[in-house]
Amino acid sequence: MSDLLNIQNLEISFQSNNKNLKTVENFSINLNEKESLGIVGESGSGKTLSMLALTRLLPKQASVSSGSIIFQNRNLDELDNKNFYKEISGKKISMIFQEPMTALNPVHTIGKQLLETYLYHNNVSVEKGIERALEILDAVKLTKYKQRMDQYPHQLSGGQRQRVMIALALINNPSLLIADEPTTALDVTVQKEIIQLISDLRETIGMALIFISHDLGVVSQISDNVVVMKNGEIVEKGKTLKVLEKPNHPYTQGLLDCLFKLEDEQKKNQIKDTPIIKVKEISKSYKLPAKIFKKPEIIYAVKKVSFDVKFGETIAIVGESGSGKSTVAKIINGLINKDEGKVEIKGQNIEDIEISDRAKIIQPVFQDPYSTLNPIHTIGYIVSRPLTINQNRSESEVKEEVIKILRLVGLSEEYYNRFPNQLSGGQRQRVAIARAIILKPQILICDEPTSALDVTIQSQILDLLNDLKTKLNITIILISHDISVVKYFSDRIIVMYNGEIIEMGNTNNVINIPKDKYTKRLMSSVFSLKK
Amino acid sequence: MIFKTFIKRLFPRSFDNDIYNLTPKDLIIRKSSNHGGFKFGLALLIIIFLFAIFGPIILDVSPYEQDLTKRLLPPVWKEGGSWEYIFGTDGNGRDYFARILYGTRISLTIGFGAACVGMIIGVTLGVCAGYFGGWVDQIVSYLLTCQLALPGLLLAMTIVFLIGPSITVVIFVIGATHWAFFLVVSRSATQKIKNLDYVTSARAIGASKFQIIMRDIIPNTFSQIIVIFTLEVGIAILNEASLSFLGVGIQPPTPSWGLLIAEGKEAIFFQPWLIILPGIALFTLVVSINMMGDGLRDITDPNSKISEE
Amino acid sequence: MSKLKSLILTLLISLMFPINVFADKSDDTFVAAFSRELTQLDYHYGTKTEFLILGDMIDSGLFYVNREDLSYVPDIASDYKIVDDTTIDINLRKNAKFHDGSNVTADDVVYTYNFIVKNEKNRRSKKIKGWMESIEKTGTHSVRFKSKYPYANLFNDLYRIKIRKNGIMGTEGNWNDSAQLNELNGTGPYKVVSFDPGVEVVLVRNDDYYGGPKGKPAIKNVIIRSIPDMGTQQAELMSGGIHWMYNVKKDIGEAMAKTGKADYQLGPSLRVGFLVLDAGGYSGEGNPITKLDVRRAMNHAINRDSIAKNLIGGPAKAVHTACNPVVFGCFQDVKKYEYNPEGAKKLLAKAGYPNGFDLDLWSYRDKEAAQAMAEDLGKVGIKVNLKHGKLSALNKARKNREIRAYFGTWGSTASPDTATISNIHWRDPAKGDRNLSGDPKVNELMLGAEQTLDVEKRKSLYAQGLKLIADQAYWVPLWSYSEGVLSSKSIDFKLDPDGYPRLWNITWK
């Protein structure tokens, strides 16, 4: 089989400070027709940039400084932009992206956008174009596709939009489809369906696929060959199964370790039987602003949720977006007022606890490391603040305590006077954890604490939390959509859907022997490594 | 330029090439040292400030002393002018250069004073409306609508006319008719910040509403507010000139530039410098402030990157 | 296509601007500019000089002020006879006609004066009612006036009241004040063609005019435009849009004349300027102005000669009396306060103000002079807060007794008798707010001088009154003004010795 795509020694440079910064070097890949290649790497590895170079979508400051791209035995460099867009882009090579909402034009209907792409590349009548559009929407298994033709992107769900984007990419029967993290922004159950769809379509249409992801699990399921990138260079190349079984490069090994860790059994903590938190039938609803001639809509975020949290245990609340898990967490933390029901912490009603006392019992850790710290405060100030607000201690005492806690979370003393913008994402999350534990709370509520971090950093933070759990004997409530993290970390799982608890039980039981239909679907969506 | 080497020596850490070493303050200094418009505006403004503060002390000229035998002398560059009166004299025989020089103080004082008054009113209302929402927000929105509906200059004229003109009254009146921008900006900034995790975290650790507003919210709106502030200074200066021109602002013989223009209006054909010179002064001051304001807006934009020239 | 668009746009835009037809000698049209607006045509409802000028063009009174010697001569009247101190018989000329063609008879005169006296809304009412006892028709063209007392300034009032047609202003109990505001049936040398209030009035020569002391006008069409901004007036004069403007200051007038585009005349005027001082303490008991030494100090502090010479120019000069020296009765042998700042300071110290005091000085015109005076007073320690604003604001403040000192002027237009200025300024405080002296003797003397026809008696009363005023420094008399007129080179205009512009006497060169 001849090469479909042959990239040799691609080099991409950025113009900055009158200097040229090489962001991607020595990038070489071969792709045969109908072959599927996975490009794996963390953020900053250059995996997206290299493909943007292929589709000529590089940002303004970046440019291809050397290397060749040969597609279907043609040197693409010889094509000027006008001809490239006419003959190749959107026709022979298509690309789909991560965020379908920004990829689709919000002011045009689905039908118009499909038509536009098709008619640009094919000289046919409008009727033929509509026919083809309907055909491809059916192929991507979009429900009610006839009506959808006249709908706008905002009227579709995330998964549906992604299907439309795939339809857009495939409408011209390309020879090569490049998918850049197409499912990262979607819920887990939908993720599985989309990956399955791409896989099936690849077979039916017979096209090559380049799949970019940071998720080794997904890549292992869908690609024949894999390429691992780090810092702009390829560190490992080869057949997927072989690379995963016996990686050559230590970096690849490191990535795998992180994953494997999550598959192992973990030590259990000292759990007492007495419940430290009692949640009884709490409900919370939001009223949407009333529109003319319509009654105000009410959204029920949480419906009669009840559960107990035992002293010292780690309980995870799992669910997709809209399940109500974050709302429950905020209610328990006292940050949102519930409409009905009772929350008791250590036997006391949460409304009866003084805010300063509550702060010493229960603290949150948030998801986004970039908004969790006030950018104008120093690290020292951020971490010392809980102390200065709630306790009356001397400055030196406070500083000492802060430095101790920073060391506990793995940050040296020199970070005391730094500002958040000088820290990486992982370091910021450490600071957030330090801030949460400095008052020695007995309960930590972690709302997706690692979702926004790279895989390697993720595992570091999870290790840290585990460590603190044992050292300080903290009860942890973990909110997550990532089943593998949950499996690694928690004793019990609560599964929520649409504001209600679907299933509750021991982690192993729920994951391996799910009772409810939804839970089953959820658990099966987890991509574990094909072994 | 010289400016940059000077700044480099003052703040060496700002020019470290490793971006991770820069504190937020360093970042701002670095970005400002690269922004042409900001540097120009700031330099011009500093020169004007120095003139205003030290000019009257160093140069021994009086804007009030009249010499009726030396009326309407032309400036030095015109036929009949002399170095004794560089900018000539006005209708009462007063040194025009001195009058324009002292007028700088008036414009700067009123400009910054009124902008401060507006800022205090607008930011207070805006932060309260943004943070507390609900009926507080409704009341503030109502106040804002009223403020925007009132014709600013006419209202200012009426109030000054009723109370009586003086520098303090003018400052407060202009400030009290120009807080709308501050309110809108601080309100929307507060609404955005209020939902960020670090504010939620502050609530979780038990900070009081007041502490949150003062420590978390307001400092993070600062960059946006300072931009509005500089623009409002320019607006206030022009407003004062308008009020004085119409006779309901600064009273003679105090040399406000607006007043100078009003007094010179009749002589526009034969002694045009009476209008042109204060006009140039006004223009220069407002341009420098606006350039600085535009520069600040670019510098404090969180999405802007450091670009070396 | 775009060329066509821009052509259409240009046409549309140019239509937005009114096209100014430049009138001039070739179509016998003279255009004058007034600074203050003519808001209506009826002189009985306005007081400004502008209204008097217009009034003289389109109306006539029983008498008129002769331009050569400033004496009163009969106008609608043909002759008169003084029967006694309080009675005067007047015969009317037979050929006077209203603009609508009807003859002027005794009925019209009687109606006019009764209307003035009985309708309090017109502005002459108080003055005429003050002296007129009765008016009766004694024949188709003769009337008899009876006054309550021997009234010295009678002829001035007989000049000011313009004759209206019988019945045109309504009837008693049902007066129509607006009858002649926007159109006028007058008797004057010009008729009104059109009137746009506040903008312009267009006049045409009345070819049926009887002649009389005003003479028949040479120019057929006259347009008077209201142009409040002095700069705009200059521009119009330079471009030929107007031929004549007055109240032109020395600086502007001389500069314009230098360009060769216009003639500038700076002649004498009856107007005088003065500071009125609250000697009577109406604005606050025991305030510094109530002290004689303070008022005298203020008189010494101001450099009148310098201001008159440098700011006003022409024949303007310092005056030391509460009247213009050239008019009847303006006795000059009074206490004169020479410019003496040191002496002023000493007087202030003597009065108990060694470091001076703060003073609000109100003014509404002549800003440069006001500032010059403020500076002069400042030099002797009186820190002036200059309240320069509109005349209406000053009138209001004076009515509310808020004013401690103000800078005013009085035109005495076309009335060369001290009575004109003193009547309004020294009235009984119960009848007006301008007399701030707090001294009943002043009222007695100054107004008494109007109430006799005996010339010597009048002179003596004015002499005593003016001496008292100067001695007690109730005023700071300042200077007499000059009247400045700019006229285009195509017209021949001469300023009269009273500075009153008689536009009906203008001719083309």
Side-chain angles (χ1 to χ4, degrees), chain C residues 49 52 156 159-160 270-271 410-416 420 498 500-501:
Chain C
T49 313
L52 184 61
N156 192 284
Y159 156 53
R160 298 265 189 200
L270 293 183
R271 182 177 294 275
W410 194 253
S412 306
T413 317
S415 45
T420 313
D498 59 356
Y500 179 50

Side-chain angles (χ1 to χ4, degrees), chain B:
Chain B
M1 263 175 67
I2 326 158
F3 190 82
K4 200 155 172 190
T5 24
F6 176 64
I7 297 292
K8 263 191 176 153
R9 223 176 286 165
L10 265 186
F11 302 102
R13 198 181 55 203
S14 301
F15 292 86
D16 196 328
N17 271 320
D18 180 1
I19 301 191
Y20 272 116
N21 260 344
L22 302 174
T23 65
K25 192 176 102 176
D26 292 334
L27 272 171
I28 291 188
I29 295 177
R30 179 79 170 273
K31 283 191 205 167
S32 358
S33 67
N34 285 333
H35 193 287
F38 176 77
K39 288 193 282 191
F40 180 75
L42 184 64
L44 201 50
L45 190 62
I46 291 181
I47 294 177
I48 295 178
F49 253 107
L50 290 175
F51 252 120
I53 300 178
F54 295 110
I57 301 176
I58 299 178
L59 303 164
D60 183 24
V61 288
S62 164
Y64 300 111
E65 206 173 298
Q66 301 180 19
D67 185 346
L68 295 184
T69 55
K70 294 211 172 101
R71 297 170 62 233
L72 297 175
L73 294 178
V76 65
W77 58 84
K78 270 183 127 60
E79 187 187 312
S82 75
W83 281 100
E84 194 190 348
Y85 296 105
I86 314 180
F87 282 176
T89 56
D90 69 353
N92 275 66
R94 292 177 288 211
D95 183 345
Y96 219 51
F97 174 73
R99 285 184 71 75
I100 294 191
L101 181 65
Y102 277 72
T104 319
R105 282 187 175 181
I106 307 278
S107 290
L108 286 174
T109 312
I110 297 189
F112 281 91
C116 280
V117 169
M119 179 171 76
I120 294 175
I121 300 178
V123 170
T124 312
L125 288 176
V127 168
C128 288
Y131 189 77
F132 294 109
W135 57 268
V136 178
D137 193 10
Q138 300 236 15
I139 292 183
V140 170
S141 295
Y142 176 71
L143 286 174
L144 176 68
T145 320
C146 290
Q147 226 267 304
L148 290 172
L150 292 169
L153 198 59
L154 287 180
L155 184 66
M157 281 173 63
T158 319
I159 299 181
V160 173
F161 183 74
L162 289 174
I163 303 182
S166 78
I167 291 192
T168 336
V169 171
V170 170
I171 289 181
F172 274 98
V173 163
I174 296 181
T177 47
H178 285 90
W179 43 262
F181 283 161
F182 285 110
L183 185 144
V184 167
V185 163
S186 54
R187 176 175 173 275
S188 73
T190 304
Q191 285 174 332
K192 283 198 204 109
I193 297 173
K194 162 171 96 143
N195 292 321
L196 290 176
D197 287 336
Y198 62 80
V199 172
T200 320
S201 151
R203 283 171 56 210
I205 61 181
S208 71
K209 289 204 175 77
F210 182 73
Q211 282 171 321
I212 293 179
I213 290 181
M214 297 304 287
R215 284 268 168 194
D216 290 292
I217 297 192
I218 290 189
N220 278 306
T221 58
F222 218 60
S223 59
Q224 288 156 293
I225 292 179
I226 205 94
V227 174
I228 303 286
F229 183 83
T230 48
L231 296 174
E232 285 287 352
V233 170
I235 294 177
I237 291 177
L238 287 174
N239 253 286
E240 177 273 311
S242 311
L243 286 178
S244 302
F245 178 84
L246 295 168
V248 281
I250 302 299
Q251 294 298 299
T254 316
S256 145
W257 290 337
L259 202 55
L260 295 185
I261 295 180
E263 287 176 351
K265 192 169 54 109
E266 280 186 1
I268 190 172
F269 292 109
F270 304 105
Q271 285 96 19
W273 68 86
L274 292 179
I275 301 185
I276 295 178
L277 291 174
I280 292 181
L282 257 179
F283 173 78
T284 312
L285 179 57
V286 176
V287 156
S288 74
I289 291 177
N290 278 349
M291 288 190 84
M292 222 182 82
D294 277 352
L296 276 176
R297 192 194 56 215
D298 292 339
I299 291 170
T300 55
D301 179 2
N303 291 328
S304 69
K305 309 217 158 60
I306 300 177
S307 59
E308 304 289 327
E309 345 181 276

Side-chain angles (χ1 to χ4, degrees), chain C residues 39-59:
Chain C
T39 47
Q40 38 86 0
L41 299 172
D42 191 342
Y43 176 67
H44 296 145
Y45 290 89
T47 50
K48 300 189 266 210
T49 313
E50 282 80 359
F51 288 110
L52 184 61
I53 300 175
L54 180 64
D56 272 333
M57 292 181 86
I58 57 183
D59 268 327

